[in-house]
Amino acid sequence: RRIGFFRRYILSLCLAGEIHCGSHRLLNRMYDVILTCNYSPWSSYRGGGQKSTHMIASTLATMGKKVCVIYSKGVFERVALPEDLPYDVVWAFFFAIKPGISSPLRFLNGISFYLKTRKLSGSGTVLHGNGEEASLLRYVRNKKRFVFSLRYPGFEPFMYSLPWNKIWVWPYVFLREPRHIVLALALRGADAVMCTSASSKESLLACFRISEQKTRIIPNGIDPVFLATRFEWKEQNGILYFGRLTHAKGVDVLLRAYAGLEEATKQIHPLKIIGDGPYVVELKRLASELHLEKRVEWQAWVGSQELAHEIVSHRLVALPSREESFGNTMLETLATGQSLISTNAGSIPEVTEDHAVLVPRDDVDALRRAISECMSKSPSREDIEARYRYVRERFSWETTSQMYLKSYEE
């Protein structure tokens, strides 16, 4: 009886969750596309994957498609959604006490997403997964097609060149990192796998050994708010970082590089860090150890409009990531024409081309020199215009969504 009660309790959690209806207020089994994503763009823990899912769903809805997104959240988490969403939102139960990429039970989320998707999809519905939450979507019978977008910037070294045809690999990977096992299930079960860059595709093929024939490269678009914002040189002061505060983003490297600048430079150009994440306490401790309490300002997440204003209000943006599958923040910076300093890690050189100053990742001295050199000269109007045009000519969510629509019909 206890086992039966526990099973019914877990099932009720997976199926429970409020529904936010968008503009079309659909009945079940009438969606053209159902997207899935752990967390949401309005959750306390969020990043580029959540924003990309939202932008794809919004653009598809404006193209006339009937769209639903299944996001996840914990039982006690409260998330306020915008009133003007053009698509429907359904919440799936998140198996974790505290949200985060390393939540130990996160690999179980595929169960709740499977149950929600099975209930909402019809024979004409395309399922579009965006993370390991999509591990069981291949088993949803009443679906038209299952596509998967890989949004991981990279994988641990032990993942490369694994012989997945050997049975021992599966328990080995599960014991090392359970979420990689459910990610493998999603990748193998998908009809098509989309990568945002050639770099992420190369990493995918090396780690999971799936068929290259079912992979496609579809770059992200960019939030129109940043396309509507333009950098004008007015002798701005300050250095800006924005993004998720995790080890992968290299904010610790930025703090060490900034600490090495001349005191006069730091006095004129304070460092502002916008974002949140599991690394925030450690980063603030490091800033204190480097005696930067009076030079570094910390701010939680802000909306796109305010963030675009912050980008153009500073002297430069520094985003020294250790890895990136695409680099939304890099494009958002370049879209305004602002100066960007980043690294040569992952897809960053591919995405920014020659429109950013790139230094080796984890190289504190190189980053400090790049910041000092950028501060020593005024940005030229030609460079500002080149960055501004570069993004507009190559990246838009309309183009990206058209590419996804094509993949839905293949």
Side-chain angles (χ1 to χ4, degrees):
R1 286 198 301 269
R2 290 179 180 177
I3 294 175
F5 171 79
F6 180 75
R7 184 173 59 218
R8 290 193 298 272
Y9 175 70
I10 293 297
L11 185 60
S12 67
L13 286 177
C14 292
L15 289 173
E18 60 268 38
I19 299 176
H20 175 92
C21 291
S23 58
H24 39 73
R25 295 184 177 274
L26 298 175
L27 298 174
N28 289 354
R29 303 182 185 280
M30 293 179 62
Y31 292 111
D32 296 317
V33 183
I34 295 177
L35 296 99
T36 65
C37 184
N38 261 326
Y39 313 116
S40 77
W42 311 278
S43 301
S44 58
Y45 185 84
R46 60 186 185 267
Q50 289 74 28
K51 187 170 186 177
S52 296
T53 303
H54 164 68
M55 293 304 301
I56 293 169
S58 298
T59 307
L60 290 176
T62 61
M63 292 177 173
K65 299 298 180 181
K66 302 168 186 176
V67 182
C68 175
V69 180
I70 304 175
Y71 295 116
S72 64
K73 64 184 180 70
V75 175
F76 303 108
E77 187 179 4
R78 296 292 176 263
V79 180
L81 294 174
E83 292 295 328
D84 58 348
L85 280 178
Y87 59 86
D88 290 355
V89 170
V90 174
W91 295 105
F93 174 70
F94 184 83
F95 282 88
I97 298 174
K98 183 179 180 181
I101 195 169
S102 59
S103 299
L105 297 179
R106 180 171 168 167
F107 70 95
L108 293 173
N109 290 334
I111 299 172
S112 52
F113 276 89
Y114 164 76
L115 293 172
K116 290 285 186 180
T117 307
R118 187 180 66 173
K119 182 179 179 182
L120 295 171
S121 64
S123 58
T125 303
V126 173
L127 307 183
H128 184 163
N130 287 275
E132 73 276 3
E133 85 290 335
S135 59
L136 301 178
L137 296 192
R138 65 188 296 182
Y139 301 111
V140 177
R141 292 187 301 275
N142 52 335
K143 68 179 186 300
K144 177 180 180 181
R145 187 169 169 82
F146 169 37
V147 302
F148 184 85
S149 290
L150 181 72
R151 304 198 182 279
Y152 276 75
F155 303 96
E156 292 82 350
F158 80 88
M159 287 292 297
Y160 287 82
S161 303
L162 286 172
W164 284 94
N165 60 327
K166 306 293 185 181
I167 193 169
W168 62 265
V169 168
W170 294 81
Y172 168 74
V173 174
F174 180 81
L175 292 173
R176 293 290 299 269
E177 182 51 81
R179 61 191 172 92
H180 288 348
I181 281 293
V182 291
L183 184 59
L185 290 174
L187 290 166
R188 279 170 157 67
D191 298 304
V193 177
M194 315 303 170
C195 301
T196 54
S197 64
S199 173
S200 62
K201 177 181 175 179
E202 181 181 351
S203 177
L204 163 72
L205 295 176
C207 290
F208 293 95
R209 303 290 176 174
I210 68 169
S211 170
E212 185 175 3
Q213 292 184 338
K214 72 175 185 179
T215 60
R216 311 284 187 276
I217 296 177
I218 300 181
N220 287 341
I222 185 168
D223 189 330
V225 169
F226 298 94
L227 296 174
T229 306
R230 189 171 188 134
F231 176 80
E232 297 289 345
W233 172 233
K234 300 176 182 178
E235 298 188 5
Q236 290 94 327
N237 296 327
I239 301 168
L240 176 67
Y241 168 88
F242 64 95
R244 188 180 287 175
L245 301 183
T246 64
H247 181 263
K249 298 302 182 180
V251 186
D252 56 316
V253 180
L254 176 58
L255 287 171
R256 295 183 189 280
Y258 180 75
L261 296 174
E262 296 182 358
E263 284 300 320
T265 301
K266 288 186 286 189
Q267 187 173 358
I268 298 172
H269 297 286
L271 172 62
K272 188 168 189 177
I273 296 175
I274 297 177
D276 203 351
Y279 209 40
V280 62
V281 174
E282 187 172 343
L283 289 171
K284 288 184 176 180
R285 185 185 303 117
L286 175 60
S288 179
E289 293 172 357
L290 295 170
H291 308 291
L292 296 175
E293 297 94 330
K294 297 181 180 180
R295 299 288 180 245
V296 180
E297 178 184 352
W298 303 85
Q299 185 172 346
W301 295 108
V302 298
S304 296
Q305 193 70 55
E306 185 177 349
L307 179 56
H309 173 73
E310 290 284 357
I311 290 174
V312 298
S313 299
H314 284 75
R315 175 63 183 82
L316 62 86
V317 173
L319 304 171
S321 292
R322 291 183 167 96
E323 56 185 25
E324 288 287 349
S325 63
F326 184 71
N328 287 5
T329 54
M330 285 71 181
L331 276 190
E332 289 167 354
T333 301
L334 295 178
T336 69
Q338 174 64 284
S339 300
L340 171 66
I341 298 176
S342 188
T343 69
N344 57 9
S347 65
I348 298 173
E350 179 184 346
V351 171
T352 62
E353 294 190 357
D354 59 351
H355 297 284
V357 177
L358 303 183
V359 301
R361 73 177 199 175
D362 284 315
D363 194 326
V364 174
D365 292 336
L367 181 58
R368 183 173 59 248
R369 287 194 299 269
I371 292 173
S372 296
E373 290 173 8
C374 188
M375 295 290 193
S376 66
K377 56 185 178 181
S378 301
S380 70
R381 180 166 294 278
E382 290 76 14
D383 289 342
I384 294 172
E385 288 294 327
R387 292 189 284 263
Y388 187 83
R389 290 194 307 271
Y390 168 71
V391 176
R392 280 155 184 76
E393 292 172 357
R394 290 166 176 78
F395 303 97
S396 75
W397 282 115
E398 288 74 15
T399 300
T400 295
S401 297
Q402 288 287 0
M403 296 173 75
Y404 275 116
L405 283 176
K406 182 178 179 181
S407 73
Y408 294 163
E409 300 299 329
E410 289 179 352

